[in-house]
Amino acid sequence: EWALGKAMKVSLQADFWREPTAPEGVATQSQGWNASGQVDFFFGSPRPGSLRTGLSLTGGRKSKGFFPGKPVEAGTYGSVGLLLAY
């Protein structure tokens, strides 16, 4: 994560995994990966005790397989969020 001034923050993430063997002895040995980036923008100047608003933009790409909060199929994903901070 890198702060680019007081109004913007950038972060990058990469994950690699191997599916564990199930208790029933079933092993698919599938492997997967996920790579994403996020940019947060805040509006207005920071003042103690004041509410700041902003936007969060996230985008990434993943392989087929389970990754928390993402579709099971391979592909590109993105999201936009609202930020509120004191």
Side-chain angles (χ1 to χ4, degrees):
E1 184 174 293
W2 299 275
L4 304 176
K6 295 180 181 181
M8 187 163 61
K9 195 169 52 170
V10 175
S11 60
L12 301 173
Q13 172 184 312
D15 300 285
F16 302 92
W17 70 87
R18 178 184 305 265
E19 188 174 307
T21 302
E24 296 82 12
V26 178
T28 62
Q29 295 299 312
S30 66
Q31 298 179 3
W33 58 270
N34 175 67
S36 65
Q38 179 172 328
V39 179
D40 296 337
F41 300 96
F42 282 100
F43 306 110
S45 59
R47 293 187 311 269
S50 66
L51 176 67
R52 294 181 72 197
T53 59
L55 289 175
S56 178
L57 307 171
T58 303
R61 186 157 178 84
K62 66 175 283 300
S63 65
K64 184 176 180 179
F66 176 76
F67 191 76
K70 307 291 181 265
V72 172
E73 294 301 316
T76 302
Y77 59 88
S79 64
V80 176
L82 176 64
L83 299 172
L84 300 173
Y86 278 102

Coordinates of all heavy atoms in Angstrom, one line a residue:
E1 N 0.9 -1.2 0.0 CA 0.0 0.0 0.0 C 0.9 1.2 0.0 O 1.8 1.3 0.8 CB -0.9 0.0 1.2 CG -1.9 1.1 1.3 CD -2.8 0.9 2.5 OE1 -3.6 0.0 2.5 OE2 -2.7 1.8 3.4
W2 N 0.6 2.2 -0.9 CA 1.3 3.4 -1.0 C 0.4 4.6 -0.9 O -0.6 4.7 -1.6 CB 2.0 3.5 -2.3 CG 3.0 2.4 -2.5 CD1 4.3 2.4 -2.1 CD2 2.8 1.2 -3.2 NE1 4.9 1.2 -2.4 CE2 4.0 0.4 -3.1 CE3 1.7 0.6 -3.8 CZ2 4.1 -0.8 -3.7 CZ3 1.8 -0.7 -4.4 CH2 3.0 -1.4 -4.3
A3 N 0.7 5.6 0.0 CA 0.0 6.8 0.0 C 0.6 7.8 -0.9 O 1.8 8.0 -0.9 CB 0.0 7.4 1.5
L4 N -0.2 8.3 -1.8 CA 0.2 9.3 -2.8 C -0.4 10.7 -2.4 O -1.4 11.1 -2.9 CB -0.2 8.9 -4.2 CG 0.3 7.5 -4.7 CD1 -0.3 7.2 -6.0 CD2 1.8 7.5 -4.7
G5 N 0.2 11.3 -1.4 CA -0.3 12.5 -0.9 C -1.3 12.2 0.2 O -1.5 11.1 0.7
K6 N -2.1 13.2 0.6 CA -3.1 13.0 1.6 C -4.5 12.6 1.1 O -5.4 12.2 1.8 CB -3.3 14.3 2.4 CG -2.1 14.7 3.2 CD -2.3 16.0 3.9 CE -1.1 16.4 4.6 NZ -1.2 17.7 5.4
A7 N -4.6 12.6 -0.3 CA -5.9 12.3 -0.9 C -6.0 11.0 -1.6 O -7.1 10.6 -2.0 CB -6.3 13.4 -1.8
M8 N -4.9 10.3 -1.8 CA -4.9 9.1 -2.7 C -4.1 8.0 -2.1 O -3.0 8.3 -1.6 CB -4.5 9.4 -4.1 CG -4.7 8.2 -5.0 SD -4.7 8.6 -6.8 CE -3.1 9.2 -7.1
K9 N -4.6 6.7 -2.2 CA -3.8 5.6 -1.7 C -4.0 4.5 -2.8 O -5.0 4.3 -3.4 CB -4.5 5.1 -0.4 CG -3.7 4.2 0.4 CD -4.3 4.0 1.8 CE -5.8 3.6 1.8 NZ -6.3 3.2 3.0
V10 N -2.9 3.8 -3.0 CA -2.8 2.7 -4.0 C -2.4 1.4 -3.4 O -1.4 1.5 -2.6 CB -1.9 3.1 -5.2 CG1 -1.8 1.9 -6.2 CG2 -2.4 4.3 -5.9
S11 N -3.0 0.3 -3.7 CA -2.5 -1.0 -3.1 C -2.6 -2.1 -4.2 O -3.5 -2.0 -5.1 CB -3.3 -1.4 -1.9 OG -4.7 -1.5 -2.2
L12 N -1.7 -3.0 -4.1 CA -1.7 -4.1 -5.1 C -1.7 -5.4 -4.3 O -1.1 -5.5 -3.1 CB -0.4 -4.1 -5.9 CG -0.3 -2.8 -6.8 CD1 1.1 -2.8 -7.5 CD2 -1.4 -2.7 -7.8
Q13 N -2.3 -6.5 -4.8 CA -2.3 -7.8 -4.1 C -2.2 -8.9 -5.1 O -2.7 -8.8 -6.2 CB -3.7 -7.8 -3.4 CG -4.0 -9.2 -2.8 CD -5.4 -9.2 -2.2 OE1 -5.8 -8.3 -1.5 NE2 -6.1 -10.3 -2.6
A14 N -1.5 -9.9 -4.7 CA -1.4 -11.2 -5.5 C -1.5 -12.4 -4.6 O -0.9 -12.4 -3.5 CB -0.1 -11.2 -6.3
D15 N -2.3 -13.4 -5.0 CA -2.5 -14.6 -4.2 C -2.3 -15.8 -5.1 O -2.7 -15.8 -6.3 CB -3.9 -14.7 -3.6 CG -4.2 -13.5 -2.7 OD1 -3.6 -13.5 -1.6 OD2 -4.9 -12.6 -3.1
F16 N -1.7 -16.9 -4.6 CA -1.5 -18.1 -5.3 C -2.0 -19.2 -4.3 O -1.7 -19.1 -3.1 CB -0.1 -18.4 -5.7 CG 0.4 -17.3 -6.6 CD1 1.1 -16.2 -6.1 CD2 0.3 -17.4 -8.0 CE1 1.6 -15.2 -6.9 CE2 0.7 -16.4 -8.8 CZ 1.4 -15.3 -8.2
W17 N -2.7 -20.2 -4.8 CA -3.1 -21.3 -3.8 C -3.2 -22.6 -4.5 O -3.3 -22.7 -5.7 CB -4.5 -20.9 -3.2 CG -5.6 -21.0 -4.2 CD1 -6.4 -22.0 -4.5 CD2 -6.2 -19.9 -5.0 NE1 -7.4 -21.7 -5.4 CE2 -7.2 -20.4 -5.8 CE3 -5.8 -18.5 -5.1 CZ2 -8.0 -19.6 -6.6 CZ3 -6.6 -17.8 -6.0 CH2 -7.6 -18.3 -6.7
R18 N -3.2 -23.7 -3.7 CA -3.5 -25.0 -4.1 C -4.6 -25.5 -3.3 O -4.6 -25.4 -2.1 CB -2.2 -25.9 -3.9 CG -2.4 -27.4 -4.3 CD -1.2 -28.2 -3.9 NE 0.0 -27.7 -4.5 CZ 0.5 -28.1 -5.6 NH1 -0.1 -29.0 -6.3 NH2 1.6 -27.6 -6.1
E19 N -5.6 -26.1 -3.9 CA -6.8 -26.6 -3.3 C -6.4 -27.7 -2.3 O -5.8 -28.7 -2.7 CB -7.8 -27.1 -4.3 CG -9.2 -27.4 -3.7 CD -10.2 -27.7 -4.8 OE1 -10.3 -26.9 -5.7 OE2 -10.8 -28.8 -4.7
P20 N -6.9 -27.7 -1.1 CA -6.5 -28.8 -0.1 C -7.3 -30.1 -0.4 O -8.3 -30.0 -1.0 CB -6.9 -28.2 1.2 CG -7.9 -27.2 0.9 CD -7.6 -26.6 -0.4
T21 N -6.8 -31.2 0.1 CA -7.4 -32.4 -0.1 C -8.6 -32.5 0.9 O -8.5 -32.1 2.1 CB -6.5 -33.6 0.3 OG1 -5.4 -33.5 -0.6 CG2 -7.2 -34.9 0.1
A22 N -9.8 -32.9 0.5 CA -10.9 -33.0 1.3 C -10.8 -34.1 2.3 O -10.1 -35.1 2.1 CB -12.2 -33.2 0.5
P23 N -11.5 -34.1 3.5 CA -11.4 -35.1 4.5 C -11.8 -36.5 3.9 O -11.4 -37.5 4.4 CB -12.4 -34.7 5.6 CG -12.6 -33.2 5.4 CD -12.3 -32.9 3.9
E24 N -12.6 -36.5 2.8 CA -13.1 -37.7 2.2 C -12.0 -38.3 1.3 O -12.2 -39.4 0.7 CB -14.3 -37.5 1.4 CG -15.6 -37.1 2.2 CD -15.5 -35.6 2.5 OE1 -14.7 -34.8 1.9 OE2 -16.3 -35.1 3.3
G25 N -10.9 -37.7 1.2 CA -9.8 -38.2 0.4 C -9.8 -37.8 -1.0 O -9.0 -38.2 -1.8
V26 N -10.8 -36.9 -1.4 CA -10.8 -36.4 -2.7 C -9.8 -35.3 -2.9 O -9.8 -34.4 -2.2 CB -12.3 -35.9 -3.0 CG1 -12.3 -35.3 -4.4 CG2 -13.3 -37.0 -2.8
A27 N -9.0 -35.5 -3.9 CA -7.9 -34.4 -4.1 C -8.0 -34.0 -5.6 O -7.8 -34.8 -6.5 CB -6.6 -35.0 -3.8
T28 N -8.3 -32.8 -5.8 CA -8.3 -32.3 -7.2 C -6.9 -31.7 -7.6 O -6.6 -31.6 -8.7 CB -9.4 -31.2 -7.4 OG1 -9.1 -30.1 -6.6 CG2 -10.8 -31.7 -7.1
Q29 N -6.2 -31.3 -6.6 CA -4.9 -30.7 -6.8 C -4.9 -29.5 -7.7 O -4.0 -29.1 -8.4 CB -3.9 -31.7 -7.3 CG -3.5 -32.8 -6.4 CD -2.9 -32.3 -5.1 OE1 -2.0 -31.5 -5.1 NE2 -3.5 -32.7 -4.0
S30 N -6.1 -28.8 -7.8 CA -6.2 -27.6 -8.6 C -5.4 -26.5 -8.0 O -5.3 -26.4 -6.7 CB -7.6 -27.3 -8.9 OG -8.3 -26.9 -7.7
Q31 N -4.8 -25.6 -8.8 CA -4.1 -24.5 -8.3 C -4.8 -23.2 -8.9 O -5.5 -23.3 -9.9 CB -2.7 -24.5 -8.8 CG -1.9 -25.7 -8.3 CD -0.5 -25.7 -8.8 OE1 -0.1 -24.8 -9.5 NE2 0.3 -26.7 -8.4
G32 N -4.6 -22.1 -8.3 CA -5.2 -20.9 -8.7 C -4.4 -19.6 -8.4 O -3.5 -19.7 -7.6
W33 N -4.8 -18.5 -8.9 CA -4.2 -17.3 -8.6 C -5.2 -16.1 -8.7 O -6.3 -16.3 -9.3 CB -3.0 -17.0 -9.6 CG -3.5 -17.0 -11.0 CD1 -3.5 -18.1 -11.9 CD2 -4.0 -15.9 -11.8 NE1 -4.0 -17.7 -13.1 CE2 -4.3 -16.3 -13.1 CE3 -4.2 -14.5 -11.5 CZ2 -4.8 -15.5 -14.1 CZ3 -4.7 -13.7 -12.5 CH2 -5.0 -14.2 -13.7
N34 N -4.9 -15.0 -8.1 CA -5.7 -13.8 -8.1 C -4.8 -12.6 -8.0 O -3.8 -12.6 -7.2 CB -6.7 -13.8 -6.9 CG -7.4 -12.5 -6.8 OD1 -8.3 -12.2 -7.7 ND2 -7.2 -11.7 -5.8
A35 N -5.0 -11.6 -8.9 CA -4.2 -10.4 -8.8 C -5.1 -9.2 -8.9 O -6.0 -9.2 -9.7 CB -3.2 -10.4 -9.9
S36 N -4.9 -8.2 -8.0 CA -5.8 -7.1 -8.0 C -5.1 -5.8 -7.6 O -4.0 -5.8 -7.0 CB -7.0 -7.3 -7.1 OG -6.6 -7.4 -5.8
G37 N -5.7 -4.7 -7.9 CA -5.3 -3.4 -7.5 C -6.4 -2.5 -7.0 O -7.6 -2.7 -7.4
Q38 N -6.1 -1.6 -6.1 CA -7.2 -0.8 -5.6 C -6.6 0.7 -5.5 O -5.5 0.9 -5.1 CB -7.6 -1.3 -4.2 CG -8.6 -0.4 -3.5 CD -9.2 -1.0 -2.3 OE1 -9.2 -2.3 -2.2 NE2 -9.6 -0.2 -1.3
V39 N -7.5 1.6 -5.8 CA -7.1 3.1 -5.7 C -8.2 3.7 -4.9 O -9.4 3.6 -5.2 CB -7.0 3.7 -7.0 CG1 -6.7 5.2 -6.9 CG2 -6.0 3.1 -7.9
D40 N -7.8 4.4 -3.8 CA -8.8 5.2 -3.0 C -8.5 6.6 -3.1 O -7.4 7.1 -3.0 CB -8.6 4.8 -1.5 CG -9.0 3.3 -1.2 OD1 -9.7 2.7 -2.0 OD2 -8.5 2.8 -0.2
F41 N -9.6 7.4 -3.4 CA -9.5 8.9 -3.5 C -10.4 9.5 -2.5 O -11.5 9.1 -2.3 CB -10.1 9.3 -4.9 CG -9.4 8.8 -6.1 CD1 -9.9 7.7 -6.7 CD2 -8.3 9.4 -6.6 CE1 -9.3 7.2 -7.9 CE2 -7.6 8.9 -7.7 CZ -8.1 7.8 -8.4
F42 N -9.8 10.4 -1.7 CA -10.6 11.2 -0.7 C -10.8 12.6 -1.2 O -9.9 13.2 -1.9 CB -9.9 11.2 0.6 CG -10.1 10.0 1.4 CD1 -9.1 9.0 1.4 CD2 -11.2 9.7 2.1 CE1 -9.2 7.9 2.1 CE2 -11.4 8.6 2.8 CZ -10.4 7.6 2.8
F43 N -11.9 13.2 -1.0 CA -12.2 14.6 -1.4 C -12.2 15.5 -0.2 O -12.5 15.1 0.9 CB -13.6 14.6 -2.0 CG -13.8 13.7 -3.1 CD1 -14.7 12.6 -3.0 CD2 -13.2 13.8 -4.3 CE1 -14.9 11.7 -4.0 CE2 -13.3 12.9 -5.4 CZ -14.2 11.8 -5.2
G44 N -11.7 16.7 -0.4 CA -11.6 17.7 0.7 C -10.3 17.5 1.5 O -9.6 16.5 1.4
S45 N -10.0 18.5 2.2 CA -8.7 18.5 3.0 C -9.0 17.9 4.4 O -10.0 18.1 4.9 CB -8.1 19.9 3.2 OG -9.1 20.7 3.8
P46 N -8.1 17.1 4.9 CA -8.3 16.4 6.2 C -8.2 17.4 7.3 O -7.2 18.2 7.4 CB -7.1 15.4 6.2 CG -6.1 15.9 5.3 CD -6.8 16.7 4.3
R47 N -9.2 17.4 8.1 CA -9.2 18.3 9.3 C -9.6 17.4 10.5 O -10.5 16.5 10.4 CB -10.2 19.4 9.2 CG -9.9 20.4 8.1 CD -10.8 21.6 8.1 NE -12.2 21.2 8.1 CZ -12.9 21.1 7.0 NH1 -12.4 21.2 5.8 NH2 -14.2 20.8 7.1
P48 N -9.0 17.5 11.7 CA -9.3 16.7 12.8 C -10.8 16.8 13.1 O -11.4 17.9 13.2 CB -8.5 17.2 13.9 CG -7.4 17.9 13.3 CD -7.9 18.5 12.0
G49 N -11.5 15.6 13.3 CA -12.9 15.6 13.7 C -13.9 15.8 12.6 O -15.1 15.8 12.8
S50 N -13.4 15.9 11.4 CA -14.3 16.2 10.2 C -14.5 14.9 9.4 O -13.6 14.0 9.4 CB -13.8 17.3 9.3 OG -12.6 16.9 8.7
L51 N -15.6 14.8 8.8 CA -15.9 13.6 8.0 C -15.4 13.8 6.6 O -15.6 14.9 6.0 CB -17.5 13.4 7.9 CG -18.0 12.3 7.0 CD1 -17.5 10.9 7.5 CD2 -19.5 12.4 6.8
R52 N -14.7 12.8 6.1 CA -14.2 12.9 4.7 C -14.9 11.8 3.9 O -15.2 10.7 4.4 CB -12.7 12.6 4.7 CG -11.9 13.7 5.3 CD -10.4 13.4 5.3 NE -9.9 13.6 3.9 CZ -8.8 13.2 3.4 NH1 -8.0 12.5 4.2 NH2 -8.4 13.4 2.2
T53 N -15.1 12.1 2.6 CA -15.8 11.2 1.7 C -14.8 10.9 0.6 O -13.9 11.7 0.3 CB -17.1 11.7 1.2 OG1 -16.9 12.9 0.5 CG2 -18.1 11.9 2.3
G54 N -15.1 9.8 -0.1 CA -14.2 9.4 -1.2 C -14.7 8.2 -2.0 O -15.8 7.7 -1.7
L55 N -14.0 7.8 -3.0 CA -14.3 6.7 -3.8 C -13.2 5.6 -3.8 O -12.0 6.0 -3.7 CB -14.5 7.1 -5.2 CG -15.8 7.9 -5.5 CD1 -15.8 8.3 -7.0 CD2 -17.0 7.1 -5.3
S56 N -13.6 4.4 -3.8 CA -12.6 3.3 -3.9 C -12.9 2.5 -5.2 O -14.0 2.1 -5.5 CB -12.8 2.4 -2.7 OG -11.9 1.3 -2.8
L57 N -11.9 2.3 -6.0 CA -12.0 1.6 -7.3 C -11.1 0.4 -7.2 O -9.9 0.5 -6.9 CB -11.5 2.5 -8.4 CG -12.2 3.8 -8.5 CD1 -11.5 4.7 -9.6 CD2 -13.7 3.7 -8.9
T58 N -11.6 -0.8 -7.5 CA -10.9 -2.0 -7.4 C -11.0 -2.8 -8.7 O -12.1 -2.8 -9.3 CB -11.4 -2.9 -6.3 OG1 -11.3 -2.2 -5.1 CG2 -10.6 -4.2 -6.2
G59 N -10.0 -3.4 -9.2 CA -10.0 -4.2 -10.4 C -9.0 -5.3 -10.3 O -8.0 -5.2 -9.6
G60 N -9.3 -6.4 -10.9 CA -8.4 -7.6 -10.9 C -8.8 -8.7 -11.9 O -9.7 -8.5 -12.6
R61 N -8.0 -9.7 -11.8 CA -8.2 -10.9 -12.7 C -7.9 -12.1 -11.8 O -6.9 -12.1 -11.0 CB -7.3 -10.8 -13.9 CG -7.5 -11.8 -14.9 CD -7.1 -11.4 -16.3 NE -7.3 -12.5 -17.2 CZ -8.4 -12.7 -17.9 NH1 -9.4 -12.0 -17.6 NH2 -8.5 -13.7 -18.8
K62 N -8.6 -13.2 -12.1 CA -8.4 -14.4 -11.3 C -8.5 -15.7 -12.2 O -9.2 -15.6 -13.2 CB -9.3 -14.6 -10.1 CG -10.7 -14.7 -10.5 CD -11.6 -15.0 -9.2 CE -11.6 -16.3 -8.7 NZ -12.0 -17.4 -9.5
S63 N -7.9 -16.8 -11.8 CA -8.1 -18.0 -12.5 C -9.4 -18.7 -12.0 O -10.0 -18.2 -11.1 CB -6.9 -18.9 -12.1 OG -6.9 -19.3 -10.7
K64 N -9.7 -19.8 -12.6 CA -10.9 -20.5 -12.2 C -10.6 -21.2 -10.9 O -9.6 -21.7 -10.6 CB -11.2 -21.6 -13.3 CG -12.5 -22.4 -13.0 CD -12.8 -23.4 -14.1 CE -14.1 -24.1 -13.7 NZ -14.4 -25.1 -14.8
G65 N -11.6 -21.2 -10.0 CA -11.5 -21.8 -8.7 C -12.0 -20.8 -7.7 O -12.3 -19.7 -7.9
F66 N -12.2 -21.4 -6.5 CA -12.7 -20.6 -5.3 C -11.7 -19.6 -4.8 O -10.6 -19.9 -4.5 CB -13.2 -21.6 -4.2 CG -13.7 -20.8 -3.0 CD1 -14.9 -20.3 -3.0 CD2 -12.8 -20.7 -1.9 CE1 -15.4 -19.5 -1.9 CE2 -13.3 -20.0 -0.8 CZ -14.6 -19.4 -0.8
F67 N -12.2 -18.4 -4.7 CA -11.5 -17.3 -3.9 C -12.5 -16.5 -3.3 O -13.5 -16.1 -3.9 CB -10.6 -16.5 -4.9 CG -9.7 -15.5 -4.2 CD1 -8.5 -16.0 -3.7 CD2 -10.0 -14.2 -4.1 CE1 -7.6 -15.2 -3.0 CE2 -9.1 -13.4 -3.4 CZ -7.9 -13.9 -2.9
P68 N -12.4 -16.3 -1.9 CA -13.5 -15.6 -1.2 C -14.0 -14.3 -1.8 O -13.2 -13.4 -2.1 CB -12.9 -15.4 0.2 CG -11.8 -16.4 0.3 CD -11.3 -16.6 -1.1
G69 N -15.3 -14.2 -2.0 CA -15.9 -13.0 -2.5 C -15.8 -12.8 -4.0 O -16.2 -11.7 -4.5
K70 N -15.3 -13.7 -4.7 CA -15.2 -13.6 -6.2 C -16.0 -14.8 -6.8 O -16.2 -15.8 -6.3 CB -13.8 -13.7 -6.6 CG -12.9 -12.7 -5.9 CD -13.2 -11.2 -6.3 CE -12.3 -10.2 -5.6 NZ -12.8 -9.6 -4.5
P71 N -16.4 -14.6 -8.1 CA -17.0 -15.7 -8.9 C -16.1 -16.9 -9.0 O -14.8 -16.7 -9.0 CB -17.3 -15.0 -10.2 CG -17.2 -13.6 -10.0 CD -16.3 -13.3 -8.9
V72 N -16.6 -18.1 -9.1 CA -15.8 -19.3 -9.2 C -15.1 -19.3 -10.6 O -14.0 -19.8 -10.7 CB -16.7 -20.5 -9.0 CG1 -15.9 -21.8 -9.3 CG2 -17.2 -20.6 -7.6
E73 N -15.7 -18.8 -11.6 CA -15.1 -18.9 -13.0 C -13.9 -17.9 -13.1 O -13.8 -16.9 -12.4 CB -16.1 -18.5 -14.0 CG -17.2 -19.6 -14.1 CD -16.7 -21.0 -14.5 OE1 -15.8 -21.1 -15.3 OE2 -17.1 -21.9 -13.8
A74 N -13.0 -18.1 -14.1 CA -11.9 -17.2 -14.3 C -12.4 -16.0 -15.0 O -13.5 -16.0 -15.7 CB -10.9 -17.9 -15.3
G75 N -11.7 -14.9 -14.8 CA -12.1 -13.7 -15.5 C -11.6 -12.4 -14.8 O -10.9 -12.4 -13.8
T76 N -12.1 -11.3 -15.3 CA -11.8 -10.0 -14.8 C -12.9 -9.5 -14.0 O -14.1 -9.7 -14.3 CB -11.5 -9.0 -16.0 OG1 -10.5 -9.6 -16.8 CG2 -11.1 -7.6 -15.5
Y77 N -12.6 -8.7 -12.9 CA -13.7 -8.2 -12.1 C -13.3 -6.8 -11.7 O -12.2 -6.4 -11.7 CB -13.9 -9.1 -10.8 CG -12.7 -9.3 -10.0 CD1 -12.4 -8.3 -9.0 CD2 -11.8 -10.3 -10.2 CE1 -11.3 -8.5 -8.2 CE2 -10.7 -10.5 -9.4 CZ -10.4 -9.5 -8.4 OH -9.3 -9.7 -7.6
G78 N -14.3 -6.1 -11.2 CA -14.1 -4.7 -10.7 C -15.2 -4.3 -9.8 O -16.3 -4.9 -9.8
S79 N -15.0 -3.3 -9.0 CA -16.0 -2.7 -8.1 C -15.7 -1.3 -7.8 O -14.6 -0.8 -8.0 CB -16.0 -3.6 -6.8 OG -14.8 -3.4 -6.1
V80 N -16.7 -0.6 -7.4 CA -16.6 0.8 -7.0 C -17.3 0.9 -5.6 O -18.4 0.3 -5.4 CB -17.4 1.7 -8.0 CG1 -17.4 3.2 -7.5 CG2 -16.8 1.6 -9.4
G81 N -16.7 1.7 -4.7 CA -17.2 1.8 -3.4 C -17.2 3.2 -2.9 O -16.4 4.0 -3.4
L82 N -18.0 3.5 -1.9 CA -18.0 4.8 -1.2 C -17.2 4.8 0.1 O -17.3 3.8 0.8 CB -19.5 5.2 -0.9 CG -19.7 6.5 -0.1 CD1 -19.2 7.7 -1.0 CD2 -21.1 6.7 0.2
L83 N -16.3 5.7 0.3 CA -15.5 5.8 1.5 C -16.0 6.9 2.4 O -16.3 8.0 2.0 CB -14.1 6.0 1.2 CG -13.4 5.0 0.3 CD1 -12.0 5.5 -0.1 CD2 -13.2 3.7 1.0
L84 N -16.1 6.6 3.7 CA -16.4 7.6 4.7 C -15.4 7.5 5.8 O -15.2 6.4 6.3 CB -17.9 7.4 5.3 CG -19.0 7.5 4.3 CD1 -20.3 7.1 5.0 CD2 -19.1 8.9 3.7
A85 N -14.8 8.5 6.2 CA -13.7 8.4 7.3 C -13.8 9.7 8.2 O -14.0 10.8 7.7 CB -12.3 8.3 6.6
Y86 N -13.5 9.5 9.4 CA -13.4 10.6 10.4 C -12.0 10.9 10.6 O -11.1 10.0 10.6 CB -14.0 10.2 11.7 CG -15.5 10.4 11.7 CD1 -16.4 9.4 11.6 CD2 -16.1 11.7 11.8 CE1 -17.8 9.5 11.6 CE2 -17.4 11.9 11.8 CZ -18.3 10.8 11.7 OH -19.6 11.0 11.7

